Amino acid sequence: MSEPSWGLWGTWEETEACLGKVVGQSTGPDPVERGSIRRWLEPKEFACDIHTDAESARAAGYDDLIAPASMVFTYGIAPYWSPGDKPAAIDDEPTQIQIPVIFDVPAPCDKSFATSVEVEFFEPLYPGDVVTCTSRLVDIKHKELKVGKGAFLRQEDTYTKQTGEVVAVAYLDIFRFVAVDNA
Amino acid sequence: MQISKIQVGDTLPEISIPITLQRLVMEAGANRDLSLIHHDTKVAQATGAPDAFANTFFLIGMFERLMREWAGPLARIRKIGPLRMMIFNAVGDTVQFKGVVESVDAASGRVSLDMWVESERGKTVTSKAVLELKD
């Protein structure tokens, strides 16, 4: 197994060229349904009828049961494998969650981590809804931290459903850097 | 929960949950963040973490649980964040999710919360949140 990648290599000029642009888009392969909701609630020991029972959700003013608001992230993630993809080999680079400002925006950095996230919720997610996430690079702030020198990249993710309605807008701050001992 | 009964400083019933590798694996499968740092000890330790550690989706989802258990099914969850991760929530830790009411706006029905996570390592995560309630 090779080492996981911590970001796409490039120059700061190439990073700047991505500012304000769409840097990634993904559509979740699975519509909202009660099985995936239950499996998401399970490791959190989260019991709430509006996510599992349509009658309880209607009593709370919804049309049907709703997915937990923060499940929008999960439903917007692209599949890790699809029919037609090449078979995996043991020395392939491990598949990671796709974060466009790490893996699709070039920067002269070999490490990265998330520092902050915020998300605002709008329309609820009902069974059958399919989620698309569109990512833009909206800010670049150069900074030197204890771990190394690099920049904070801010990713704006707009989550929409098949009707075009906005479900959520999230902002993710990623610090991309060269570690002190490699600088 | 009715907005007329909420006061600034009210505390949310806290949640305590142990972080085990099994829980992290269940969580990764369910939330689809399959990054190795969240279920592979060696890869996590290579990044400076003590062990595999809870991912952001788990933390946000647990804050949603904290809000939902306090506010009830009629509350609309409007915003979570800015959420800041300061210390790892790693395998072997028991973490507590806590929150307090920061402001109440009866006219709009909006309630702002200050929430955080604690473990033996200290305050590991902080987050703000907003929910909407009616009487």
Side-chain angles (χ1 to χ4, degrees), chain A residues 24 28 57 67 77 93:
Chain A
I77 294 173
E93 190 174 292

Side-chain angles (χ1 to χ4, degrees), chain A residues 141-152 175 177 180 183:
Chain A
K141 270 200 181 72
H142 293 272
K143 187 101 180 170
E144 189 164 356
L145 300 181
K146 257 196 288 184
V147 289
K149 198 171 176 180
F152 283 97
F175 187 60
F177 63 105
V180 172

Side-chain angles (χ1 to χ4, degrees), chain B residues 62-90:
Chain B
M62 285 299 296
F63 278 130
E64 181 170 350
R65 179 186 155 193
L66 182 74
M67 296 161 76
R68 180 62 71 194
E69 286 182 354
W70 171 71
L74 299 178
R76 283 356 182 207
I77 290 168
R78 292 302 183 203
K79 188 176 177 184
I80 298 177
L83 179 151
R84 295 204 168 83
M85 293 160 279
M86 299 164 309
I87 300 175
F88 295 108
N89 298 287

Side-chain angles (χ1 to χ4, degrees), chain A residues 33 36-38 40-41 67-76 121 125, chain B residues 30 64:
Chain A
E33 52 81 39
S36 51
I37 293 173
R38 195 205 65 78
W40 186 95
L41 296 168
S70 45
M71 252 195 109
V72 69
F73 300 113
T74 296
Y75 285 120
F121 302 105
L125 280 174
Chain B
E64 181 170 350

Side-chain angles (χ1 to χ4, degrees), chain A residues 90-161:
Chain A
I90 194 71
D91 56 354
D92 282 355
E93 190 174 292
T95 313
Q96 307 244 40
I97 190 169
Q98 282 306 299
I99 300 175
V101 298
I102 299 177
F103 300 110
D104 300 298
V105 172
C109 305
D110 62 1
K111 292 265 185 288
S112 58
F113 57 79
T115 56
S116 169
V117 63
E118 61 182 284
V119 54
E120 198 165 353
F121 302 105
F122 302 98
E123 290 301 312
L125 280 174
Y126 289 112
D129 282 343
V130 173
V131 174
T132 295
C133 174
T134 304
S135 303
R136 285 176 194 276
L137 174 65
V138 293
D139 195 29
I140 304 168
K141 270 200 181 72
H142 293 272
K143 187 101 180 170
E144 189 164 356
L145 300 181
K146 257 196 288 184
V147 289
K149 198 171 176 180
F152 283 97
L153 271 51
R154 173 162 264 228
Q155 177 177 309
E156 178 192 73
D157 292 326
T158 304
Y159 292 87
T160 51
K161 57 166 102 175

Side-chain angles (χ1 to χ4, degrees), chain B residues 7-131:
Chain B
Q7 292 188 329
V8 172
D10 284 355
T11 55
L12 282 60
E14 70 177 69
I15 299 168
S16 178
I17 195 161
I19 306 296
T20 62
L21 191 57
Q22 184 186 48
R23 187 180 309 284
L24 293 187
V25 169
M26 283 170 68
E27 179 62 41
N31 76 31
R32 307 290 293 157
D33 178 353
L34 296 170
S35 298
L36 301 182
I37 47 178
H38 303 306
H39 62 269
D40 185 319
T41 298
K42 280 186 189 164
V43 173
Q45 287 174 341
T47 69
D51 204 325
F53 55 95
N55 62 33
T56 312
F57 295 166
F58 175 77
L59 299 170
I60 295 176
M62 285 299 296
F63 278 130
E64 181 170 350
R65 179 186 155 193
L66 182 74
M67 296 161 76
R68 180 62 71 194
E69 286 182 354
W70 171 71
L74 299 178
R76 283 356 182 207
I77 290 168
R78 292 302 183 203
K79 188 176 177 184
I80 298 177
L83 179 151
R84 295 204 168 83
M85 293 160 279
M86 299 164 309
I87 300 175
F88 295 108
N89 298 287
V91 169
D93 295 349
T94 295
V95 298
Q96 287 89 43
F97 287 80
K98 298 183 180 184
V100 62
V101 174
E102 201 174 55
S103 70
V104 184
D105 180 1
S108 67
R110 291 206 156 206
V111 179
S112 299
L113 304 170
D114 191 14
M115 307 186 296
W116 65 96
V117 183
E118 288 175 15
S119 77
E120 301 88 329
R121 301 178 197 278
K123 197 180 255 195
T124 62
V125 181
T126 60
S127 183
K128 303 285 184 185
V130 177
L131 51 78

